Amino acid sequence: MALTQVINAGIGQVTDIKIGGSGSANTLDDYEEGTFTPTINASGFTSITYARQDGHYTKIGNQVCCYITLQWTGTSAAGQFRLEGLPFASANTPSAKGMFVTYSTASTYLNQGSPLMYIGDSQNFIRAYYNDGSAVNVNANASNDWFEGVVVYNT
Amino acid sequence: MALTKATKEDKIEVAGAYKAIQIRTVTVISEDDTEISRTFHRRVINPCVKSGDNWSDYDTSSESAEVRGIASAVWTDDIKTAYKNMIDEQEH
């Protein structure tokens, strides 16, 4: 028989929960689900319009997981694929923070290659790179281009 | 039976060395003053914005008075310079 412990706010907000120990590393001090509005940015992009612009996040402790779907039309892009609007700034500490792309028509490499989707320290956007470190540009003129992916980083 | 919808910025946080401002907006749906739904939407604003190779200060004119006040207090010239340098250094 499953045992379920319900913690509610009936006696005031629970500020943290200790799991498996009493130290700070055992403390769950934050949980939140919500939405955000992701955007595509690239140098020169004009007249961009979105048919889909969905961002959902779950934050557990200092870990953020985001689910992104974008569909857009725009012209005259000349720069690196840059995904903006993440719901939290990343931690200012060297650590792996990034994304995997599940589907994209924003550039051939984003869909068929192994792009490096990089989030720098203290940032709330993602930049795309080839494996050699050079920038992945978006299609210059997008017509209902599509992008889906999952982002994981810490705060 | 009356349904009401209320939206407000319920949490404004200053995060990290470069003073990113994290803004959470809550939307509460109530029925006869009893809450039946609560959802969150988040965004982050930074002290400066880069377009191409050009930097500009973030335009706070469309933000709430509270956010404008916080931005004015924490986004000093030193913070702006440090943020721009950090972003430029991380780009390659």
Side-chain angles (χ1 to χ4, degrees), chain A residues 40-45 77-84 110 116-118 125-130 133-139, chain B residues 90-92:
Chain A
I40 296 293
N41 193 2
S43 178
F45 228 156
Q80 184 178 25
F81 177 91
R82 185 165 145 154
L83 180 62
E84 300 183 341
L110 285 180
L116 308 176
M117 305 297 288
Y118 178 74
F125 57 84
I126 300 167
R127 290 176 293 223
Y129 294 91
Y130 291 96
S134 59
V136 175
N137 286 5
V138 297
N139 293 332
Chain B
Q90 290 189 17
E91 289 183 346
H92 55 83

Side-chain angles (χ1 to χ4, degrees), chain B residues 15-63:
Chain B
Y18 304 99
K19 311 300 184 188
I21 299 177
Q22 301 180 158
I23 302 162
R24 186 177 78 177
T25 302
V26 61
T27 300
V28 177
I29 307 292
S30 300
E31 181 178 9
D32 294 335
D33 296 328
T34 300
E35 181 178 318
I36 58 176
S37 169
R38 175 177 291 257
T39 57
F40 297 124
H41 186 87
R42 277 191 174 267
R43 60 196 176 93
V44 179
I45 56 176
N46 292 299
C48 303
V49 177
K50 191 172 188 179
S51 178
D53 293 328
N54 301 315
W55 281 105
S56 58
D57 288 353
Y58 179 82
D59 180 3
T60 60
S61 61
S62 62
E63 301 293 344

Side-chain angles (χ1 to χ4, degrees), chain A residues 8-81:
Chain A
N8 61 40
I11 56 173
Q13 181 174 317
V14 177
T15 55
D16 60 54
I17 304 169
K18 309 288 187 187
I19 301 172
S22 59
S24 60
N26 302 102
T27 301
L28 176 61
D29 58 359
D30 195 15
Y31 181 89
E32 187 178 311
E33 300 172 18
T35 60
F36 61 101
T37 305
T39 59
I40 296 293
N41 193 2
S43 178
F45 228 156
T46 57
S47 304
I48 188 164
T49 57
Y50 293 94
R52 291 197 63 176
Q53 198 172 18
D54 302 328
H56 298 266
Y57 69 84
T58 300
K59 183 173 186 286
I60 304 172
N62 67 351
Q63 177 181 312
V64 183
C65 188
C66 303
Y67 309 89
I68 294 172
T69 301
L70 282 165
Q71 187 179 14
W72 70 95
T73 295
T75 59
S76 304
Q80 184 178 25
F81 177 91

Side-chain angles (χ1 to χ4, degrees), chain B residues 12 14 18-21 23 45-48 57-61 63-80:
Chain B
I12 303 170
V14 178
Y18 304 99
K19 311 300 184 188
I21 299 177
I23 302 162
I45 56 176
N46 292 299
C48 303
D57 288 353
Y58 179 82
D59 180 3
T60 60
S61 61
E63 301 293 344
S64 66
E66 188 173 8
V67 170
R68 288 200 307 272
I70 293 169
S72 177
V74 301
W75 289 349
T76 63
D77 288 344
D78 287 346
I79 288 293
K80 292 175 185 176

